[in-house]
């Protein structure tokens, strides 16, 4: 798939976030479905703050302020990027990322979405121009180049739409 295809996929996924944001009340948005589980609010905080940080990584690759790596990418990471899915199971966000998560209002979530869409649009045409050997370290996946970060953002965004569906079911008392 091309950078533009991934862009369209991300915009479509973000549309799902926007729809949910319009459909739930502020109270439901900040309500945790169960002890120790993230609310919609915390999930929005995580996904859009992480995605904005990932876009900074994309930009650093384009600006050639990353690490030169000619060794390639491990096959496990290539498999995730190829299949477009994180491995099955629940993963805890790395501590640095988890510490950024907070309860935000629907308005704050909407503002993060606007900021994310804007940055995504600004960088879309630059991704293909980045040197493939310019890489920035991902907390779990290791060194990624601009195209790999771009693909990761898409995978990550879609991954959390499934989490939102799970939160919705739990809040309704379903399994």
């Amino acid at each position: 798939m091309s950078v533009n295809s991934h862009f369209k996929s991300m915009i479509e996924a973000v549309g799902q976030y926007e729809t949910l944001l319009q459909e739930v009340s502020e109270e439901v948005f900040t309500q945790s479905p169960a002890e120790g589980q993230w609310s919609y609010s915390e999930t929005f905080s995580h996904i859009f703050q992480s995605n904005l940080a990932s876009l900074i990584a994309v930009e650093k690759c384009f600006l050639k302020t990353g690490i030169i790596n000619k060794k390639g990418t491990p096959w496990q990471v290539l498999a995730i990027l190829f299949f477009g899915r994180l491995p099955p199971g629940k993963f805890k966000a790395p501590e640095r990322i988890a510490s950024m998560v907070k309860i935000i209002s629907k308005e704050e979530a909407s503002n993060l979405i606007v900021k994310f869409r804007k940055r995504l649009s600004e960088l879309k045409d630059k991704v293909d121009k980045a040197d493939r050997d310019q890489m920035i370290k991902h907390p779990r996946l290791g060194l990624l180049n601009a195209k790999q970060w771009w693909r990761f953002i898409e995978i990550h965004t879609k991954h959390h739409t499934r989490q939102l569906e799970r939160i919705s079911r739990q809040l309704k008392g379903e399994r």
Side-chain angles (χ1 to χ4, degrees):
M1 285 175 71
S2 69
V3 168
N4 202 41
S5 299
H6 296 304
F7 173 80
K8 288 177 183 174
S9 175
M10 285 186 265
I11 294 299
E12 185 179 302
V14 169
Q16 293 175 21
Y17 286 86
E18 290 174 313
T19 298
L20 182 122
L21 203 53
Q22 293 168 357
E23 292 175 349
V24 299
S25 68
E26 191 75 44
E27 180 183 340
V28 170
F29 187 67
T30 58
Q31 181 182 351
S32 176
E35 179 81 28
Q37 292 187 356
W38 284 354
S39 63
Y40 289 131
S41 170
E42 292 162 304
T43 303
F44 272 67
S45 171
H46 165 73
I47 191 66
F48 291 104
Q49 288 186 64
S50 296
N51 281 357
L52 287 164
S54 295
L55 287 172
I56 290 170
V58 169
E59 188 169 36
K60 284 182 175 183
C61 291
F62 174 74
L63 295 173
K64 297 186 178 195
T65 59
I67 297 166
I68 298 287
N69 177 30
K70 295 189 182 282
K71 294 179 186 174
T73 305
W75 70 267
Q76 299 93 329
V77 175
L78 292 175
I80 290 169
L81 299 174
F82 178 79
F83 290 109
R85 290 189 66 115
L86 297 173
K90 279 190 164 187
F91 297 94
K92 283 200 172 268
E95 188 54 41
R96 183 179 66 83
I97 303 297
S99 68
M100 295 176 5
V101 173
K102 62 182 180 177
I103 294 176
I104 60 174
S105 68
K106 287 176 56 175
E107 181 179 358
E108 289 170 302
S110 181
N111 291 339
L112 283 171
I113 289 172
V114 168
K115 187 175 181 180
F116 174 67
R117 276 182 182 270
K118 182 176 188 273
R119 292 295 293 141
L120 204 59
S121 294
E122 290 169 353
L123 293 173
K124 177 181 65 151
D125 295 330
K126 297 179 179 182
V127 176
D128 270 331
K129 297 173 185 159
D131 181 338
R132 67 179 209 159
D133 293 332
Q134 276 289 326
M135 299 186 167
I136 299 292
K137 188 174 184 335
H138 180 277
R140 290 267 163 93
L141 303 179
L143 293 172
L144 301 177
N145 65 31
K147 280 187 177 180
Q148 292 168 332
W149 272 103
W150 191 256
R151 177 70 165 137
F152 169 76
I153 296 167
E154 176 191 14
I155 293 166
H156 188 239
T157 304
K158 290 172 124 181
H159 168 78
H160 284 288
T161 61
R162 292 187 288 281
Q163 181 180 6
L164 295 176
E165 291 165 4
R166 187 175 65 248
I167 292 169
S168 179
R169 286 192 307 273
Q170 288 178 302
L171 289 174
K172 291 176 184 172
E174 301 170 5
R175 287 209 171 243

